[in-house]
Amino acid sequence: RLAMSDGSPFRTRFTTEQFCAAVGPRAPAPEMALGSVTLLDCAKKFALCMAYIGMSTGLIRFNKYLMAEGRFPYSMTLTAIHMAFSSILCLLLYCVNPNFFPGMAATVGRRHTVVRWFVPIGIAFAVSLYASNQAYLYCNVTFLQFLKEGNVVITFLMSVAAGLQVMTRLRAAIIVWVITGSSFAVSGEVQFAWIGFAFQVVSQFAECSRAVMGEHVLTGANLKLDPLSYTLFISPTCLTVLLVGNAFEWDPAIPQALVEWWPVLLPNACMAFLLNVIVATVIKEMSAVGFIMNGVVKDIVVVLASAVLFGESVTLSQTLGFVLTLAGVFCWSMLKLDPDNKVIRNAEWFFGDTRKEAEN
């Protein structure tokens, strides 16, 4: 009810449509689905991380078993079998149902260019797999997992060299922290073998290079490849490199070993294929740094399983070094994931870093 200028009441009627038009659109209700989607997304990523950790841990122990003398100690051939199996499965899946490979549509008309992008990734992947398996001949699994804690540092230093990251005093301090902890863990090894150490270091540099380049191909370069499409490209490329390596490292005893051990090699190759797809998914969904951080959690699981279930010895020095390294990696994670955290801000102030440097 409204009043006229003379004070008499003024009555009018509005239709529902007129009223809504007059007062404007109703404010949207809070979207409860947003929280559900967020929780679902977190659950999916958690399940993805668990799948990666479980599959990777299982394959590490499986490869260690096969690489023992008297079984199938041919790392180059074993890795080539993995890549051949992955290539065949991907091709079969693509022929049966191309819809499993949505990213392939983005490569139409430029697949030769895409293959050239995958050549350095394939080389890095082949070197990483070969050197990692070769290291099992000389070192136990626990020791090798201690070394892998340095992957976070290696990935960051590569990013700095490429101009993708900026070195600050706080980051340098955390790097020194991680290196110190890793050094304690490595120095505590009772059965230290330089050749095994060298193979593992080469493997880690190649793995970090592969992760950084893989992230660019999976999320950048106007491709947005899905994990299966990525595996379809990377497996044949990696296999080609490994076949060349096998020509130089061929052992006449390999055919007999293949005949004897094929019932074990087949499930081992299946696990390798699944792991390749999961790794590509992790890199796509969580970035190269996220992949490396998942690797840190996996290393903890592997160390615990190796010590508890397989009886591998762990000295006090190694335990302290491992804990120190994990603490440094945790601080690094906080620095990357929550840079506005009060503790991080205070640490930057203590080391004299400006906010502009920290945000790069």
Side-chain angles (χ1 to χ4, degrees), residues 269-303:
C270 289
M271 289 184 66
F273 168 71
L274 291 175
L275 180 61
N276 288 336
V277 176
I278 292 172
V279 166
T281 307
V282 171
I283 294 175
K284 181 178 178 64
E285 296 294 331
M286 308 181 71
S287 81
V289 175
F291 169 65
I292 297 301
M293 296 310 302
N294 273 279
V296 171
V297 179
K298 176 206 67 180
D299 294 340
I300 297 174
V301 174
V302 172
V303 168

PDB file of all heavy atoms in Angstrom, residues 269-303:
ATOM      1  N   ALA A 269      55.069 -56.811 -16.683  1.00  0.00           N
ATOM      2  CA  ALA A 269      54.856 -55.840 -17.760  1.00  0.00           C
ATOM      3  C   ALA A 269      53.482 -55.177 -17.644  1.00  0.00           C
ATOM      4  O   ALA A 269      53.328 -53.986 -17.943  1.00  0.00           O
ATOM      5  CB  ALA A 269      55.004 -56.534 -19.115  1.00  0.00           C
ATOM      6  N   CYS A 270      52.473 -55.939 -17.206  1.00  0.00           N
ATOM      7  CA  CYS A 270      51.138 -55.357 -16.987  1.00  0.00           C
ATOM      8  C   CYS A 270      51.187 -54.263 -15.927  1.00  0.00           C
ATOM      9  O   CYS A 270      50.581 -53.194 -16.091  1.00  0.00           O
ATOM     10  CB  CYS A 270      50.155 -56.449 -16.576  1.00  0.00           C
ATOM     11  SG  CYS A 270      49.701 -57.598 -17.881  1.00  0.00           S
ATOM     12  N   MET A 271      51.898 -54.533 -14.844  1.00  0.00           N
ATOM     13  CA  MET A 271      52.041 -53.529 -13.794  1.00  0.00           C
ATOM     14  C   MET A 271      52.755 -52.289 -14.315  1.00  0.00           C
ATOM     15  O   MET A 271      52.389 -51.151 -13.979  1.00  0.00           O
ATOM     16  CB  MET A 271      52.800 -54.116 -12.603  1.00  0.00           C
ATOM     17  CG  MET A 271      52.033 -55.134 -11.792  1.00  0.00           C
ATOM     18  SD  MET A 271      52.950 -55.683 -10.330  1.00  0.00           S
ATOM     19  CE  MET A 271      53.014 -54.165  -9.360  1.00  0.00           C
ATOM     20  N   ALA A 272      53.768 -52.484 -15.153  1.00  0.00           N
ATOM     21  CA  ALA A 272      54.504 -51.345 -15.709  1.00  0.00           C
ATOM     22  C   ALA A 272      53.598 -50.487 -16.585  1.00  0.00           C
ATOM     23  O   ALA A 272      53.663 -49.250 -16.544  1.00  0.00           O
ATOM     24  CB  ALA A 272      55.706 -51.846 -16.511  1.00  0.00           C
ATOM     25  N   PHE A 273      52.740 -51.129 -17.384  1.00  0.00           N
ATOM     26  CA  PHE A 273      51.807 -50.377 -18.228  1.00  0.00           C
ATOM     27  C   PHE A 273      50.843 -49.550 -17.383  1.00  0.00           C
ATOM     28  O   PHE A 273      50.637 -48.355 -17.634  1.00  0.00           O
ATOM     29  CB  PHE A 273      51.027 -51.338 -19.125  1.00  0.00           C
ATOM     30  CG  PHE A 273      49.855 -50.694 -19.814  1.00  0.00           C
ATOM     31  CD1 PHE A 273      50.045 -49.784 -20.834  1.00  0.00           C
ATOM     32  CD2 PHE A 273      48.553 -50.997 -19.426  1.00  0.00           C
ATOM     33  CE1 PHE A 273      48.963 -49.177 -21.470  1.00  0.00           C
ATOM     34  CE2 PHE A 273      47.474 -50.404 -20.052  1.00  0.00           C
ATOM     35  CZ  PHE A 273      47.677 -49.486 -21.078  1.00  0.00           C
ATOM     36  N   LEU A 274      50.254 -50.179 -16.373  1.00  0.00           N
ATOM     37  CA  LEU A 274      49.323 -49.460 -15.506  1.00  0.00           C
ATOM     38  C   LEU A 274      50.021 -48.303 -14.793  1.00  0.00           C
ATOM     39  O   LEU A 274      49.453 -47.212 -14.654  1.00  0.00           O
ATOM     40  CB  LEU A 274      48.716 -50.424 -14.477  1.00  0.00           C
ATOM     41  CG  LEU A 274      47.760 -51.482 -15.040  1.00  0.00           C
ATOM     42  CD1 LEU A 274      47.340 -52.445 -13.932  1.00  0.00           C
ATOM     43  CD2 LEU A 274      46.534 -50.832 -15.670  1.00  0.00           C
ATOM     44  N   LEU A 275      51.254 -48.524 -14.364  1.00  0.00           N
ATOM     45  CA  LEU A 275      51.990 -47.464 -13.681  1.00  0.00           C
ATOM     46  C   LEU A 275      52.268 -46.301 -14.628  1.00  0.00           C
ATOM     47  O   LEU A 275      52.181 -45.132 -14.226  1.00  0.00           O
ATOM     48  CB  LEU A 275      53.298 -48.009 -13.107  1.00  0.00           C
ATOM     49  CG  LEU A 275      54.156 -46.991 -12.356  1.00  0.00           C
ATOM     50  CD1 LEU A 275      53.397 -46.427 -11.154  1.00  0.00           C
ATOM     51  CD2 LEU A 275      55.472 -47.620 -11.894  1.00  0.00           C
ATOM     52  N   ASN A 276      52.603 -46.589 -15.882  1.00  0.00           N
ATOM     53  CA  ASN A 276      52.853 -45.519 -16.855  1.00  0.00           C
ATOM     54  C   ASN A 276      51.616 -44.634 -17.029  1.00  0.00           C
ATOM     55  O   ASN A 276      51.713 -43.402 -17.091  1.00  0.00           O
ATOM     56  CB  ASN A 276      53.264 -46.108 -18.204  1.00  0.00           C
ATOM     57  CG  ASN A 276      54.660 -46.691 -18.185  1.00  0.00           C
ATOM     58  OD1 ASN A 276      55.483 -46.310 -17.362  1.00  0.00           O
ATOM     59  ND2 ASN A 276      54.925 -47.627 -19.080  1.00  0.00           N
ATOM     60  N   VAL A 277      50.447 -45.268 -17.108  1.00  0.00           N
ATOM     61  CA  VAL A 277      49.205 -44.506 -17.253  1.00  0.00           C
ATOM     62  C   VAL A 277      48.931 -43.686 -15.991  1.00  0.00           C
ATOM     63  O   VAL A 277      48.532 -42.511 -16.065  1.00  0.00           O
ATOM     64  CB  VAL A 277      48.028 -45.446 -17.559  1.00  0.00           C
ATOM     65  CG1 VAL A 277      46.715 -44.672 -17.607  1.00  0.00           C
ATOM     66  CG2 VAL A 277      48.246 -46.173 -18.880  1.00  0.00           C
ATOM     67  N   ILE A 278      49.144 -44.294 -14.821  1.00  0.00           N
ATOM     68  CA  ILE A 278      48.899 -43.584 -13.567  1.00  0.00           C
ATOM     69  C   ILE A 278      49.853 -42.413 -13.412  1.00  0.00           C
ATOM     70  O   ILE A 278      49.459 -41.316 -12.988  1.00  0.00           O
ATOM     71  CB  ILE A 278      49.024 -44.559 -12.380  1.00  0.00           C
ATOM     72  CG1 ILE A 278      47.885 -45.580 -12.408  1.00  0.00           C
ATOM     73  CG2 ILE A 278      49.014 -43.799 -11.049  1.00  0.00           C
ATOM     74  CD1 ILE A 278      48.029 -46.687 -11.383  1.00  0.00           C
ATOM     75  N   VAL A 279      51.121 -42.600 -13.760  1.00  0.00           N
ATOM     76  CA  VAL A 279      52.107 -41.519 -13.664  1.00  0.00           C
ATOM     77  C   VAL A 279      51.705 -40.350 -14.555  1.00  0.00           C
ATOM     78  O   VAL A 279      51.754 -39.183 -14.131  1.00  0.00           O
ATOM     79  CB  VAL A 279      53.515 -42.037 -14.035  1.00  0.00           C
ATOM     80  CG1 VAL A 279      54.471 -40.869 -14.280  1.00  0.00           C
ATOM     81  CG2 VAL A 279      54.065 -42.916 -12.926  1.00  0.00           C
ATOM     82  N   ALA A 280      51.301 -40.640 -15.782  1.00  0.00           N
ATOM     83  CA  ALA A 280      50.858 -39.570 -16.684  1.00  0.00           C
ATOM     84  C   ALA A 280      49.651 -38.836 -16.106  1.00  0.00           C
ATOM     85  O   ALA A 280      49.539 -37.612 -16.215  1.00  0.00           O
ATOM     86  CB  ALA A 280      50.533 -40.155 -18.060  1.00  0.00           C
ATOM     87  N   THR A 281      48.752 -39.581 -15.473  1.00  0.00           N
ATOM     88  CA  THR A 281      47.573 -38.962 -14.861  1.00  0.00           C
ATOM     89  C   THR A 281      47.959 -38.066 -13.702  1.00  0.00           C
ATOM     90  O   THR A 281      47.435 -36.954 -13.550  1.00  0.00           O
ATOM     91  CB  THR A 281      46.596 -40.051 -14.374  1.00  0.00           C
ATOM     92  OG1 THR A 281      46.308 -40.957 -15.435  1.00  0.00           O
ATOM     93  CG2 THR A 281      45.292 -39.423 -13.889  1.00  0.00           C
ATOM     94  N   VAL A 282      48.888 -38.527 -12.865  1.00  0.00           N
ATOM     95  CA  VAL A 282      49.336 -37.726 -11.723  1.00  0.00           C
ATOM     96  C   VAL A 282      49.990 -36.434 -12.202  1.00  0.00           C
ATOM     97  O   VAL A 282      49.724 -35.343 -11.676  1.00  0.00           O
ATOM     98  CB  VAL A 282      50.312 -38.533 -10.840  1.00  0.00           C
ATOM     99  CG1 VAL A 282      50.946 -37.646  -9.778  1.00  0.00           C
ATOM    100  CG2 VAL A 282      49.586 -39.686 -10.174  1.00  0.00           C
ATOM    101  N   ILE A 283      50.863 -36.526 -13.216  1.00  0.00           N
ATOM    102  CA  ILE A 283      51.534 -35.332 -13.731  1.00  0.00           C
ATOM    103  C   ILE A 283      50.513 -34.347 -14.305  1.00  0.00           C
ATOM    104  O   ILE A 283      50.616 -33.133 -14.098  1.00  0.00           O
ATOM    105  CB  ILE A 283      52.577 -35.720 -14.796  1.00  0.00           C
ATOM    106  CG1 ILE A 283      53.714 -36.531 -14.154  1.00  0.00           C
ATOM    107  CG2 ILE A 283      53.151 -34.481 -15.475  1.00  0.00           C
ATOM    108  CD1 ILE A 283      54.727 -37.062 -15.143  1.00  0.00           C
ATOM    109  N   LYS A 284      49.521 -34.867 -15.008  1.00  0.00           N
ATOM    110  CA  LYS A 284      48.500 -34.000 -15.610  1.00  0.00           C
ATOM    111  C   LYS A 284      47.635 -33.325 -14.555  1.00  0.00           C
ATOM    112  O   LYS A 284      47.342 -32.133 -14.641  1.00  0.00           O
ATOM    113  CB  LYS A 284      47.619 -34.814 -16.561  1.00  0.00           C
ATOM    114  CG  LYS A 284      46.529 -34.004 -17.261  1.00  0.00           C
ATOM    115  CD  LYS A 284      45.737 -34.870 -18.201  1.00  0.00           C
ATOM    116  CE  LYS A 284      44.614 -34.086 -18.872  1.00  0.00           C
ATOM    117  NZ  LYS A 284      45.126 -33.011 -19.729  1.00  0.00           N
ATOM    118  N   GLU A 285      47.226 -34.083 -13.534  1.00  0.00           N
ATOM    119  CA  GLU A 285      46.299 -33.571 -12.526  1.00  0.00           C
ATOM    120  C   GLU A 285      46.991 -32.766 -11.429  1.00  0.00           C
ATOM    121  O   GLU A 285      46.381 -31.885 -10.834  1.00  0.00           O
ATOM    122  CB  GLU A 285      45.525 -34.731 -11.890  1.00  0.00           C
ATOM    123  CG  GLU A 285      44.627 -35.497 -12.851  1.00  0.00           C
ATOM    124  CD  GLU A 285      43.489 -34.655 -13.369  1.00  0.00           C
ATOM    125  OE1 GLU A 285      43.049 -33.733 -12.653  1.00  0.00           O
ATOM    126  OE2 GLU A 285      43.036 -34.904 -14.505  1.00  0.00           O
ATOM    127  N   MET A 286      48.273 -33.066 -11.161  1.00  0.00           N
ATOM    128  CA  MET A 286      48.923 -32.491  -9.977  1.00  0.00           C
ATOM    129  C   MET A 286      50.253 -31.823 -10.280  1.00  0.00           C
ATOM    130  O   MET A 286      50.940 -31.408  -9.344  1.00  0.00           O
ATOM    131  CB  MET A 286      49.108 -33.581  -8.915  1.00  0.00           C
ATOM    132  CG  MET A 286      47.832 -34.328  -8.597  1.00  0.00           C
ATOM    133  SD  MET A 286      48.034 -35.600  -7.339  1.00  0.00           S
ATOM    134  CE  MET A 286      48.255 -34.597  -5.894  1.00  0.00           C
ATOM    135  N   SER A 287      50.667 -31.718 -11.544  1.00  0.00           N
ATOM    136  CA  SER A 287      51.900 -31.064 -11.987  1.00  0.00           C
ATOM    137  C   SER A 287      53.122 -31.919 -11.675  1.00  0.00           C
ATOM    138  O   SER A 287      53.059 -32.913 -10.943  1.00  0.00           O
ATOM    139  CB  SER A 287      52.055 -29.669 -11.345  1.00  0.00           C
ATOM    140  OG  SER A 287      52.578 -29.776 -10.028  1.00  0.00           O
ATOM    141  N   ALA A 288      54.270 -31.508 -12.237  1.00  0.00           N
ATOM    142  CA  ALA A 288      55.517 -32.245 -12.025  1.00  0.00           C
ATOM    143  C   ALA A 288      55.927 -32.215 -10.558  1.00  0.00           C
ATOM    144  O   ALA A 288      56.412 -33.205 -10.011  1.00  0.00           O
ATOM    145  CB  ALA A 288      56.623 -31.656 -12.905  1.00  0.00           C
ATOM    146  N   VAL A 289      55.730 -31.052  -9.914  1.00  0.00           N
ATOM    147  CA  VAL A 289      56.084 -30.960  -8.493  1.00  0.00           C
ATOM    148  C   VAL A 289      55.188 -31.876  -7.663  1.00  0.00           C
ATOM    149  O   VAL A 289      55.647 -32.557  -6.744  1.00  0.00           O
ATOM    150  CB  VAL A 289      55.971 -29.492  -8.004  1.00  0.00           C
ATOM    151  CG1 VAL A 289      56.210 -29.412  -6.505  1.00  0.00           C
ATOM    152  CG2 VAL A 289      56.965 -28.614  -8.744  1.00  0.00           C
ATOM    153  N   GLY A 290      53.902 -31.915  -7.991  1.00  0.00           N
ATOM    154  CA  GLY A 290      53.000 -32.822  -7.285  1.00  0.00           C
ATOM    155  C   GLY A 290      53.390 -34.273  -7.475  1.00  0.00           C
ATOM    156  O   GLY A 290      53.304 -35.082  -6.544  1.00  0.00           O
ATOM    157  N   PHE A 291      53.849 -34.611  -8.672  1.00  0.00           N
ATOM    158  CA  PHE A 291      54.316 -35.971  -8.938  1.00  0.00           C
ATOM    159  C   PHE A 291      55.519 -36.306  -8.071  1.00  0.00           C
ATOM    160  O   PHE A 291      55.613 -37.390  -7.483  1.00  0.00           O
ATOM    161  CB  PHE A 291      54.671 -36.102 -10.424  1.00  0.00           C
ATOM    162  CG  PHE A 291      55.412 -37.359 -10.767  1.00  0.00           C
ATOM    163  CD1 PHE A 291      54.816 -38.605 -10.638  1.00  0.00           C
ATOM    164  CD2 PHE A 291      56.714 -37.294 -11.228  1.00  0.00           C
ATOM    165  CE1 PHE A 291      55.502 -39.762 -10.960  1.00  0.00           C
ATOM    166  CE2 PHE A 291      57.410 -38.441 -11.551  1.00  0.00           C
ATOM    167  CZ  PHE A 291      56.802 -39.675 -11.420  1.00  0.00           C
ATOM    168  N   ILE A 292      56.462 -35.363  -7.961  1.00  0.00           N
ATOM    169  CA  ILE A 292      57.648 -35.595  -7.138  1.00  0.00           C
ATOM    170  C   ILE A 292      57.263 -35.725  -5.665  1.00  0.00           C
ATOM    171  O   ILE A 292      57.793 -36.573  -4.938  1.00  0.00           O
ATOM    172  CB  ILE A 292      58.667 -34.445  -7.332  1.00  0.00           C
ATOM    173  CG1 ILE A 292      59.156 -34.415  -8.786  1.00  0.00           C
ATOM    174  CG2 ILE A 292      59.847 -34.610  -6.387  1.00  0.00           C
ATOM    175  CD1 ILE A 292      59.826 -35.688  -9.255  1.00  0.00           C
ATOM    176  N   MET A 293      56.300 -34.901  -5.209  1.00  0.00           N
ATOM    177  CA  MET A 293      55.885 -34.972  -3.810  1.00  0.00           C
ATOM    178  C   MET A 293      55.197 -36.318  -3.521  1.00  0.00           C
ATOM    179  O   MET A 293      55.370 -36.895  -2.445  1.00  0.00           O
ATOM    180  CB  MET A 293      54.934 -33.816  -3.479  1.00  0.00           C
ATOM    181  CG  MET A 293      55.570 -32.441  -3.581  1.00  0.00           C
ATOM    182  SD  MET A 293      57.141 -32.300  -2.706  1.00  0.00           S
ATOM    183  CE  MET A 293      56.647 -32.732  -1.056  1.00  0.00           C
ATOM    184  N   ASN A 294      54.415 -36.806  -4.469  1.00  0.00           N
ATOM    185  CA  ASN A 294      53.839 -38.136  -4.307  1.00  0.00           C
ATOM    186  C   ASN A 294      54.935 -39.189  -4.234  1.00  0.00           C
ATOM    187  O   ASN A 294      54.817 -40.180  -3.513  1.00  0.00           O
ATOM    188  CB  ASN A 294      52.909 -38.459  -5.481  1.00  0.00           C
ATOM    189  CG  ASN A 294      51.508 -37.966  -5.256  1.00  0.00           C
ATOM    190  OD1 ASN A 294      50.713 -38.605  -4.573  1.00  0.00           O
ATOM    191  ND2 ASN A 294      51.196 -36.814  -5.815  1.00  0.00           N
ATOM    192  N   GLY A 295      56.006 -38.956  -4.994  1.00  0.00           N
ATOM    193  CA  GLY A 295      57.134 -39.873  -4.944  1.00  0.00           C
ATOM    194  C   GLY A 295      57.778 -39.926  -3.573  1.00  0.00           C
ATOM    195  O   GLY A 295      58.273 -40.974  -3.145  1.00  0.00           O
ATOM    196  N   VAL A 296      57.772 -38.785  -2.870  1.00  0.00           N
ATOM    197  CA  VAL A 296      58.336 -38.758  -1.517  1.00  0.00           C
ATOM    198  C   VAL A 296      57.526 -39.657  -0.582  1.00  0.00           C
ATOM    199  O   VAL A 296      58.078 -40.446   0.198  1.00  0.00           O
ATOM    200  CB  VAL A 296      58.378 -37.309  -0.978  1.00  0.00           C
ATOM    201  CG1 VAL A 296      58.761 -37.292   0.493  1.00  0.00           C
ATOM    202  CG2 VAL A 296      59.361 -36.480  -1.794  1.00  0.00           C
ATOM    203  N   VAL A 297      56.193 -39.541  -0.653  1.00  0.00           N
ATOM    204  CA  VAL A 297      55.335 -40.403   0.172  1.00  0.00           C
ATOM    205  C   VAL A 297      55.541 -41.868  -0.198  1.00  0.00           C
ATOM    206  O   VAL A 297      55.616 -42.748   0.667  1.00  0.00           O
ATOM    207  CB  VAL A 297      53.851 -40.006  -0.006  1.00  0.00           C
ATOM    208  CG1 VAL A 297      52.953 -40.909   0.825  1.00  0.00           C
ATOM    209  CG2 VAL A 297      53.637 -38.551   0.380  1.00  0.00           C
ATOM    210  N   LYS A 298      55.661 -42.132  -1.500  1.00  0.00           N
ATOM    211  CA  LYS A 298      55.915 -43.497  -1.952  1.00  0.00           C
ATOM    212  C   LYS A 298      57.224 -44.022  -1.371  1.00  0.00           C
ATOM    213  O   LYS A 298      57.314 -45.186  -0.950  1.00  0.00           O
ATOM    214  CB  LYS A 298      55.981 -43.534  -3.473  1.00  0.00           C
ATOM    215  CG  LYS A 298      56.347 -44.887  -4.063  1.00  0.00           C
ATOM    216  CD  LYS A 298      57.006 -44.745  -5.420  1.00  0.00           C
ATOM    217  CE  LYS A 298      58.357 -44.091  -5.320  1.00  0.00           C
ATOM    218  NZ  LYS A 298      59.031 -43.944  -6.621  1.00  0.00           N
ATOM    219  N   ASP A 299      58.253 -43.159  -1.326  1.00  0.00           N
ATOM    220  CA  ASP A 299      59.546 -43.587  -0.782  1.00  0.00           C
ATOM    221  C   ASP A 299      59.430 -43.993   0.684  1.00  0.00           C
ATOM    222  O   ASP A 299      60.070 -44.952   1.134  1.00  0.00           O
ATOM    223  CB  ASP A 299      60.570 -42.460  -0.932  1.00  0.00           C
ATOM    224  CG  ASP A 299      60.885 -42.162  -2.391  1.00  0.00           C
ATOM    225  OD1 ASP A 299      60.634 -43.041  -3.234  1.00  0.00           O
ATOM    226  OD2 ASP A 299      61.352 -41.053  -2.675  1.00  0.00           O
ATOM    227  N   ILE A 300      58.600 -43.268   1.438  1.00  0.00           N
ATOM    228  CA  ILE A 300      58.384 -43.620   2.846  1.00  0.00           C
ATOM    229  C   ILE A 300      57.767 -45.015   2.939  1.00  0.00           C
ATOM    230  O   ILE A 300      58.204 -45.862   3.737  1.00  0.00           O
ATOM    231  CB  ILE A 300      57.473 -42.579   3.530  1.00  0.00           C
ATOM    232  CG1 ILE A 300      58.141 -41.209   3.529  1.00  0.00           C
ATOM    233  CG2 ILE A 300      57.153 -43.008   4.963  1.00  0.00           C
ATOM    234  CD1 ILE A 300      57.239 -40.100   4.047  1.00  0.00           C
ATOM    235  N   VAL A 301      56.751 -45.263   2.106  1.00  0.00           N
ATOM    236  CA  VAL A 301      56.093 -46.572   2.112  1.00  0.00           C
ATOM    237  C   VAL A 301      57.074 -47.666   1.728  1.00  0.00           C
ATOM    238  O   VAL A 301      57.123 -48.738   2.348  1.00  0.00           O
ATOM    239  CB  VAL A 301      54.886 -46.565   1.145  1.00  0.00           C
ATOM    240  CG1 VAL A 301      54.274 -47.957   1.039  1.00  0.00           C
ATOM    241  CG2 VAL A 301      53.840 -45.558   1.617  1.00  0.00           C
ATOM    242  N   VAL A 302      57.894 -47.403   0.715  1.00  0.00           N
ATOM    243  CA  VAL A 302      58.861 -48.409   0.264  1.00  0.00           C
ATOM    244  C   VAL A 302      59.886 -48.715   1.347  1.00  0.00           C
ATOM    245  O   VAL A 302      60.235 -49.874   1.587  1.00  0.00           O
ATOM    246  CB  VAL A 302      59.561 -47.934  -1.026  1.00  0.00           C
ATOM    247  CG1 VAL A 302      60.702 -48.879  -1.401  1.00  0.00           C
ATOM    248  CG2 VAL A 302      58.570 -47.855  -2.171  1.00  0.00           C
ATOM    249  N   VAL A 303      60.379 -47.666   2.011  1.00  0.00           N
ATOM    250  CA  VAL A 303      61.378 -47.865   3.069  1.00  0.00           C
ATOM    251  C   VAL A 303      60.785 -48.688   4.210  1.00  0.00           C
ATOM    252  O   VAL A 303      61.406 -49.631   4.711  1.00  0.00           O
ATOM    253  CB  VAL A 303      61.894 -46.502   3.580  1.00  0.00           C
ATOM    254  CG1 VAL A 303      62.698 -46.681   4.863  1.00  0.00           C
ATOM    255  CG2 VAL A 303      62.752 -45.830   2.512  1.00  0.00           C
TER     256      VAL A 303
END
